[in-house]
Amino acid sequence: MIKVAVVFHSAGGSTRQLAAAVAAGAATEPTVNVIHAEIAGVDIRAGRFRNSKLLAQLTNADAIVFGSPTYMGSVSAQFKAFADASSEHWETQLWANKVAAGFTIGSNFSGDQLHTLQYLQILANQHGMLWAGLDIPGNHNTAGLNRLGAQSGLIAQSADGLLNETDLLTAHYLGRRVAQLSKRFAA
């Protein structure tokens, strides 16, 4: 059984919706178990992320998909606290050779969401993970997936909290892609 973890922080609910679509996409693959891991405010005490159970789940996963809203050009403070806490796993490379991917959402069409994806990719690379971007040229597939044209991962946009259906379909596609790649590497 392949385990794909979707770990994310959501403030207003739109990142949570994307995470659910990523998880649903991964779950479409037979023999894939999805771990839905939301970073919550209660996990952060005195500025430090403290949830050893969640970190252990991620260590046992074959793939990790990271998600965060874009705030001030990067990940949310809650996600950053999680990333900082993952350094204990970095030292021993417990996440090395896992498949990784990422997604983000912002209120503007070009509101530095790419930087958030790059942050997530660097985090994965520091852990020795194998990054899976989108293999869909922006707006060049028949379903119109990847409408904002990011190859590094999923960038979504919403100014009012309502998600574009195409962004949700792209999130579903990303989850399925990560599950398929994880199965390929496990074989």
Side-chain angles (χ1 to χ4, degrees):
M1 181 70 70
I2 299 294
K3 295 178 195 162
V4 175
V6 181
V7 61
F8 66 96
H9 171 253
S10 183
S14 57
T15 310
R16 185 178 300 109
Q17 291 176 59
L18 289 171
V22 169
T28 62
E29 284 297 308
T31 70
V32 171
N33 181 29
V34 178
I35 301 164
H36 198 79
E38 184 168 0
I39 298 165
V42 297
D43 293 331
I44 301 167
R45 293 185 295 282
R48 188 79 174 154
F49 178 85
R50 303 192 190 281
N51 185 332
S52 57
K53 181 180 174 188
L54 186 145
L55 290 171
Q57 285 180 308
L58 299 178
T59 297
N60 292 318
D62 298 288
I64 303 173
V65 183
F66 301 108
S68 172
T70 296
Y71 285 148
M72 301 305 292
S74 194
V75 296
S76 65
Q78 294 86 340
F79 189 93
K80 179 68 167 87
F82 156 80
D84 288 352
S86 77
S87 67
E88 295 166 13
H89 291 67
W90 167 79
E91 293 172 0
T92 53
Q93 292 291 284
L94 291 175
W95 295 354
N97 300 318
K98 296 177 187 298
V99 174
F103 61 94
T104 188
I105 186 166
S107 60
N108 296 305
F109 284 101
S110 182
D112 297 326
Q113 290 97 320
L114 180 58
H115 182 262
T116 301
L117 280 182
Q118 290 170 333
Y119 175 90
L120 298 174
Q121 186 176 14
I122 290 169
L123 172 66
N125 291 151
Q126 287 175 330
H127 281 285
M129 300 172 81
L130 308 169
W131 189 261
L134 285 172
D135 60 346
I136 306 168
N139 283 317
H140 282 85
N141 93 338
T142 56
L145 300 180
N146 194 14
R147 74 181 178 101
L148 298 180
Q151 299 305 136
S152 299
L154 170 62
I155 289 177
Q157 181 276 334
S158 175
D160 59 6
L162 300 174
L163 289 171
N164 185 299
E165 184 64 26
T166 303
D167 292 342
L168 290 169
L169 292 171
T170 306
H172 190 274
Y173 179 89
L174 179 63
R176 184 168 176 233
R177 175 169 161 72
V178 168
Q180 289 172 341
L181 289 172
S182 298
K183 288 171 68 174
R184 181 186 256 175
F185 282 120

